[in-house]
């Protein structure tokens, strides 16, 4: 027996597939078999991009009519599976909505889940995932046992999205069944944080600040430098916990995982939980007055100096160049 059918839980943002969705579709397409995208709502304008990244079939739930996505989508998936179209593997992004749908589907199917993974391998009918542990210093490979479907979630930026798969992408309706009492809760309002510039987990340049910035007002330098470099500002957990910046800025094991072309860490010592979230960056620049700071151990360029002196000079140099 081989793996014949892989589902990817697909999210769309403003009518386009999320970067995490395209990453998972690309990886699923490399494993062989038929790849299907399971879309919340309507595929709409996202259909062509989903197909181009490997989705031969696109399940769409239709309008959720205010139902909580986790409750509704897991029920729709279970309905399709009960109808005889069970996948061998279901891949989810390691984010709020992905975890919610996966957890509820796990209960409905009485199947275990493997989360926080960074890779997946298929050998015949054997499916294994790789998960970093101990702050990313060790990798563990776990193999599913028992009958499919196998449910697994992956950290963002684990795979490189690549189009060119072609195909039309057959759209199949997968309506949400009657949810009973579990459908009693509904979404009444959605608040979207206003941002300018690229998103933190998608930016080519990320400039992050830490405790070494001294106080909340000094974080303005981080935002100015990020804007000047057409990048996104980030932060260490320490200053998020201190209330200097919102949680959405946090880079690290309990925040966002980023893999930009350039990552600038200003006033960040380099705690393990932070480095887990950024050490995959292609080029790392560290600015810290403590020459023994762990961040220098992963930096491609290290500047031993006071961020309050270094950053203004960098900003001035960039201003002169423009």
């Amino acid at each position: 027996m081989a793996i014949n059918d892989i589902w990817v839980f697909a999210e769309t943002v403003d009518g386009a597939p999320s970067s995490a969705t395209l990453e998972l579709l690309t990886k699923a397409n490399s494993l062989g078999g038929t790849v299907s995208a399971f879309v919340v709502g309507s595929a709409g304008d996202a259909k062509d991009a989903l197909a181009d990244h490997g989705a031969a079939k696109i399940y769409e739930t239709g309008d959720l009519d205010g139902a909580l996505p986790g409750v509704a989508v897991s029920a729709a998936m279970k309905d399709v599976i009960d109808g005889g179209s069970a996948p061998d593997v279901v891949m989810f992004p390691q984010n709020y909505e992905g975890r919610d749908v996966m957890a509820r589907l796990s209960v409905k199917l009485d199947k275990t889940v493997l989360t926080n993974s960074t890779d997946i391998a298929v050998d015949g009918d054997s499916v294994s995932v790789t998960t970093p542990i101990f702050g990313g210093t060790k990798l563990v490979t776990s193999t599913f046992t028992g009958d499919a479907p196998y449910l697994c979630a992956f950290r963002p930026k684990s795979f490189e999205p690549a189009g060119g798969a072609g195909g039309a992408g057959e759209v199949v309706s997968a309506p949400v069944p009657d949810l009973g009492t579990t459908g009693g809760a509904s979404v009444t309002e959605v608040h979207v944080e206003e941002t300018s510039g690229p998103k933190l987990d998608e930016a080519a340049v990320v400039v992050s600040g830490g405790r070494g910035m001294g106080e909340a007002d000094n974080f303005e330098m981080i935002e100015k430098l990020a804007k000047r470099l057409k990048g996104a500002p980030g932060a260490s957990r320490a200053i998020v916990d201190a209330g200097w910046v919102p949680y959405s800025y946090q880079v690290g094991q309990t925040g966002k995982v980023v893999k930009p072309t350039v990552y600038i860490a200003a006033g960040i010592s380099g705690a393990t939980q932070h480095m887990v979230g950024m050490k995959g960056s292609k080029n790392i620049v560290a600015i810290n007055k403590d020459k023994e700071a762990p961040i220098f151990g992963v930096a491609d360029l290290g500047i031993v100096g006071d961020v309050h002196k270094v950053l203004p000079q960098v900003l001035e140099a960039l201003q002169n160049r423009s």
Side-chain angles (χ1 to χ4, degrees):
M1 176 185 171
I3 300 303
N4 296 313
D5 195 4
I6 301 174
W7 284 5
V8 169
F9 172 61
E11 299 172 301
T12 59
V13 181
D14 297 328
S18 67
S19 58
T21 295
L22 299 182
E23 291 170 26
L24 294 182
L25 283 172
T26 300
K27 183 60 179 181
N29 196 47
S30 73
L31 299 176
T34 301
V35 176
S36 301
F38 211 104
V39 179
V40 181
S42 170
D45 295 337
K47 174 180 174 294
D48 290 342
L50 293 171
D52 189 50
H53 284 75
K57 184 181 292 185
I58 301 169
Y59 292 100
E60 55 179 17
T61 64
D63 186 8
L64 299 186
D65 196 28
L68 296 177
V71 175
V73 178
S74 60
M77 286 183 165
K78 177 66 160 52
D79 228 31
V80 174
I81 292 171
D82 287 346
S85 298
D88 298 300
V89 179
V90 188
M91 300 171 67
F92 295 86
Q94 183 81 17
N95 58 23
Y96 299 122
E97 200 162 277
R99 290 197 299 262
D100 189 22
V101 176
M102 179 176 62
R104 295 176 187 275
L105 184 61
S106 168
V107 172
K108 291 178 183 294
L109 299 177
D110 193 24
K111 298 293 183 183
T112 190
V113 297
L114 292 176
T115 64
N116 207 35
S117 302
T118 56
D119 202 4
I120 181 172
V122 173
D123 183 10
D125 60 353
S126 175
V127 177
S128 303
V129 296
T130 300
T131 308
I133 62 171
F134 300 133
T137 59
K138 300 291 183 182
L139 297 176
V140 172
T141 298
S142 304
T143 301
F144 284 99
T145 59
D147 297 328
Y150 305 129
L151 313 181
C152 41
F154 298 86
R155 291 185 183 183
K157 303 296 182 182
S158 293
F159 314 112
E160 288 291 332
E170 176 194 2
V171 177
V172 179
S173 177
V176 178
D178 179 17
L179 299 175
T181 56
T182 59
S186 63
V187 179
T188 59
E189 214 171 345
V190 177
H191 296 274
V192 179
E193 185 175 23
E194 292 185 5
T195 58
S196 59
K199 294 181 179 179
L200 176 58
D201 50 0
E202 297 179 2
V205 176
V206 172
V207 183
S208 287
R211 276 286 192 191
M213 297 304 297
E215 59 184 43
D217 290 346
N218 292 333
F219 193 79
E220 184 181 359
M221 284 191 289
I222 298 295
E223 294 177 317
K224 282 184 177 178
L225 181 56
K227 185 176 182 180
R228 176 67 65 179
L229 296 174
K230 295 181 172 58
S236 68
R237 178 176 176 174
I239 68 172
V240 171
D241 287 349
W244 294 8
V245 294
Y247 172 69
S248 58
Y249 280 41
Q250 185 173 320
V251 173
Q253 190 169 22
T254 54
K256 291 181 178 176
V257 176
V258 298
K259 290 187 178 180
T261 303
V262 177
Y263 186 87
I264 300 174
I268 295 175
S269 63
T272 299
Q273 89 88 26
H274 182 78
M275 289 204 281
V276 166
M278 47 65 73
K279 67 180 182 180
S281 306
K282 291 182 180 178
N283 301 282
I284 299 172
V285 179
I287 307 169
N288 200 296
K289 62 182 179 182
D290 178 10
K291 65 180 181 180
E292 302 298 329
I295 193 72
F296 289 125
V298 298
D300 298 286
L301 172 63
I303 301 173
V304 179
D306 188 339
V307 293
H308 304 97
K309 296 178 180 179
V310 175
L311 291 184
Q313 291 182 51
V314 173
L315 285 166
E316 183 180 356
L318 290 171
Q319 178 66 35
N320 292 337
R321 281 184 60 185
S322 62

